């Protein structure tokens, strides 16, 4: 995998320059400077790399590095990256991979690009030595709305019941607008805690969400439904020039009763459309109630390229063996974790006598899979 001699890789240290690169190349909001700062504040390292062919900038990648147990050094991760046209994917990822290998010695480079499954970009990754993996971080099965459509067409694509609920919300006393200020942010976090408790899913510490608010700023609007001045439902978004990506959502018991979660979704779509976004990604579909709710807003699904992994080190087999064991450790829960950790330690010893602990691997996997 040898990049063309004319390709150069340079680190970008200027936020404005980097975000311009992302937006000019139709990049994803998780490649914006602010998202990298969020991850850097929570156990990652971040590096922004611009790739040029002569005087032409082809794109780049915001690379997140996660430290691994010795001697694996680190894992390099492109969250909805690289930033480039699919046609330039081979040049950009080859140049980025060369830089990561030579400067960091990372065991592997993982890419989860914002490209459709079967696209030219995916073909370029496969031709460049990347392997498709099931170790997914961002779910490739999703629902992406085309915001270039008219509002009437967006409304018409909804299920009849959903359309009716949205229209009732719009005629109600509910007010829909963006959250403003720290005081309202804290109320949104309280709603998210309530939602997580009711639905039974885990969430980050409040500090993580406050950092998203702080580091992404205007690139991470929160659209909320307000009843008598108090928020009762919200949708939290990360936004680049062209793509809106839904991060989180929540609703109070009172908001559920008023079906405010329908109206606030519509408000999020129209707010992002007004901002100039042409795509709205509802961020992942599983076989659960939340996904069933998302699927009411359009009759189609989208499948992105998924997770691709490029080995960069002779120690890659050790990493590849330990990673699934570490994931299973997390899934089995605390009571079974000790046994799984012992199995992983034995597997690594047999592979290269390195003694890398799956309990340690479980720690970095837990950090890896959490957005």
């Amino acid at each position: 995998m040898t990049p063309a001699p004319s390709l150069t890789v340079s680190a970008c240290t200027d936020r404005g320059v980097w975000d311009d690169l992302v937006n000019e190349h139709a990049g994803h909001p998780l490649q914006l400077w602010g998202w990298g700062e969020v991850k850097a504040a929570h156990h990652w390292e971040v590096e922004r790399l611009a790739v040029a062919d002569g005087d032409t900038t082809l794109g780049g990648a915001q690379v997140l590095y996660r430290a691994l147990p010795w001697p694996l050094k680190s894992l390099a991760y492109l969250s909805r990256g690289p930033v480039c046209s699919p046609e330039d994917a081979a040049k950009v990822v080859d140049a980025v991979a060369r830089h990561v290998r030579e400067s960091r010695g990372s065991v592997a480079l993982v890419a989860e690009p914002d490209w459709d499954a079967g696209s030219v970009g995916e073909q370029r990754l496969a031709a460049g030595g990347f392997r498709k993996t099931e170790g997914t971080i961002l779910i490739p099965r999703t629902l992406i709305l085309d915001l270039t459509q008219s509002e009437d067409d967006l409304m018409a694509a909804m299920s009849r019941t959903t359309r009716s609920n949205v229209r009732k919300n719009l005629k109600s006393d509910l007010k829909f607008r963006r959250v403003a200020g720290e005081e309202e942010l804290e109320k949104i976090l309280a709603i998210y805690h309530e939602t997580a408790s009711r639905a039974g899913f885990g969430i980050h510490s409040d500090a993580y969400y406050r950092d998203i608010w702080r580091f992404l700023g205007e690139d991470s609007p929160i659209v909320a439904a307000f009843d008598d001045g108090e928020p009762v439902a919200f949708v939290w978004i990360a936004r680049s020039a062209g793509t809106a990506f839904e991060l989180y959502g929540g609703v109070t018991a009172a908001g559920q009763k008023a079906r405010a979660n329908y109206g606030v979704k519509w408000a999020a779509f129209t707010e992002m459309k007004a901002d100039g976004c042409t795509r709205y990604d509802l961020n992942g579909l599983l076989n659960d109630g939340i996904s069933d709710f998302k699927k009411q807003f359009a009759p189609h699904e989208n499948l992105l390229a998924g997770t691709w992994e490029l080995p960069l080190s002779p120690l890659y087999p050790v990493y590849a063996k330990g990673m699934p064991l570490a994931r299973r450790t997390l899934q089995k829960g605390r009571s079974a974790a000790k046994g799984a950790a012992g199995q992983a330690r034995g597997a690594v010893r047999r592979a290269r006598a390195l003694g890398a602990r799956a309990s340690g691997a479980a720690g970095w996997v837990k950090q890896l899979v959490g957005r």
Side-chain angles (χ1 to χ4, degrees):
M1 183 181 65
T2 304
S6 60
L7 291 183
T8 59
V9 179
S10 58
C12 181
T13 58
D14 183 287
R15 179 173 187 152
V17 171
W18 180 256
D19 283 350
D20 284 347
L21 182 152
V22 172
N23 288 321
E24 288 168 5
H25 289 82
H28 194 274
L30 297 190
Q31 283 288 300
L32 290 172
W33 185 280
W35 187 255
E37 292 302 286
V38 172
K39 305 310 287 186
H42 295 271
H43 312 296
W44 295 79
E45 286 187 66
V46 60
E47 186 175 32
R48 290 99 179 174
L49 302 174
V51 178
D53 188 350
D55 294 331
T56 302
T57 300
L58 299 180
Q62 177 167 257
V63 188
L64 300 175
Y65 297 99
R66 181 64 191 169
L68 300 185
W70 184 89
L72 302 181
K73 294 188 177 179
S74 65
L75 179 72
Y77 173 50
L78 309 184
S79 182
R80 287 290 180 256
V83 176
C84 64
S85 69
E87 290 75 15
D88 289 330
K91 292 181 179 179
V92 172
V93 296
D94 281 4
V96 169
R98 178 189 60 176
H99 172 89
V100 170
R101 184 195 304 109
E102 293 177 355
S103 67
R104 299 284 184 141
S106 298
V107 70
L109 174 64
V110 177
E112 293 186 318
D114 190 28
W115 302 329
D116 291 335
S119 67
V120 172
E122 182 178 287
Q123 295 166 22
R124 297 285 192 274
L125 290 178
F130 278 79
R131 308 170 181 180
K132 189 74 176 287
T133 175
E134 298 303 317
T136 299
I137 301 165
L138 295 170
I139 301 168
R141 178 177 164 238
T142 187
L143 171 58
I144 301 175
L145 301 181
D146 177 5
L147 296 184
T148 65
Q149 299 179 87
S150 69
E151 290 188 8
D152 287 344
D153 287 340
L154 287 169
M155 186 78 76
M158 299 178 189
S159 70
R160 180 181 299 179
T161 301
T162 301
R163 189 163 54 246
S164 175
N165 285 331
V166 169
R167 286 173 172 163
K168 286 177 181 177
N169 274 186
L170 296 178
K171 293 177 181 178
S172 72
D173 292 332
L174 292 173
K175 305 298 181 185
F176 300 94
R177 63 168 175 83
R178 300 188 191 197
V179 166
E182 302 290 340
E183 183 177 347
E184 288 188 347
L185 173 64
E186 294 306 311
K187 292 179 180 180
I188 293 301
L189 294 180
I191 293 174
Y192 199 39
H193 278 282
E194 178 184 337
T195 303
S197 178
R198 183 173 60 242
F201 60 83
I203 62 176
H204 293 284
S205 69
D206 286 352
Y208 185 85
Y209 304 109
R210 293 185 187 116
D211 281 343
I212 294 175
W213 174 267
R214 176 162 62 104
F215 288 122
L216 274 170
E218 293 183 356
D219 293 325
S220 189
I222 305 173
V223 180
F226 290 82
D227 185 8
D228 196 23
E230 293 297 316
V232 295
F234 75 91
V235 174
W236 195 330
I237 303 157
R239 176 201 62 194
S240 58
T243 297
F245 182 69
E246 197 168 285
L247 293 174
Y248 315 109
V251 60
T252 65
Q256 276 191 317
K257 187 175 181 180
R259 298 187 182 276
N261 47 334
Y262 287 89
V264 79
K265 213 77 153 178
W266 174 253
F269 301 159
T270 56
E271 284 277 327
M272 294 303 97
K273 178 178 172 65
D275 277 2
C277 291
T278 58
R279 307 164 70 236
Y280 187 105
D281 187 341
L282 277 83
N283 185 10
L285 296 175
L286 298 169
N287 297 315
D288 61 2
I290 294 174
S291 299
D292 290 341
F293 173 66
K294 292 178 181 179
K295 289 188 286 186
Q296 296 178 48
F297 290 92
H300 70 277
E301 294 182 7
N302 299 84
L303 186 63
L304 298 180
T307 307
W308 292 77
E309 196 166 84
L310 178 68
L312 297 179
S313 163
L315 298 179
Y316 176 81
V318 178
Y319 159 81
K321 183 180 287 289
M323 184 72 164
L325 289 171
R327 285 185 179 277
R328 286 198 293 272
T329 299
L330 291 175
Q331 292 168 355
K332 289 178 180 179
R334 183 175 299 177
S335 61
K338 293 181 180 179
Q343 294 175 14
R345 284 194 297 269
V348 174
R349 281 196 300 267
R350 289 190 297 272
R352 292 288 177 93
L354 295 174
R357 297 188 169 198
S359 57
W364 51 260
V365 171
K366 186 173 183 180
Q367 291 293 335
L368 180 66
V369 300
R371 282 199 308 279

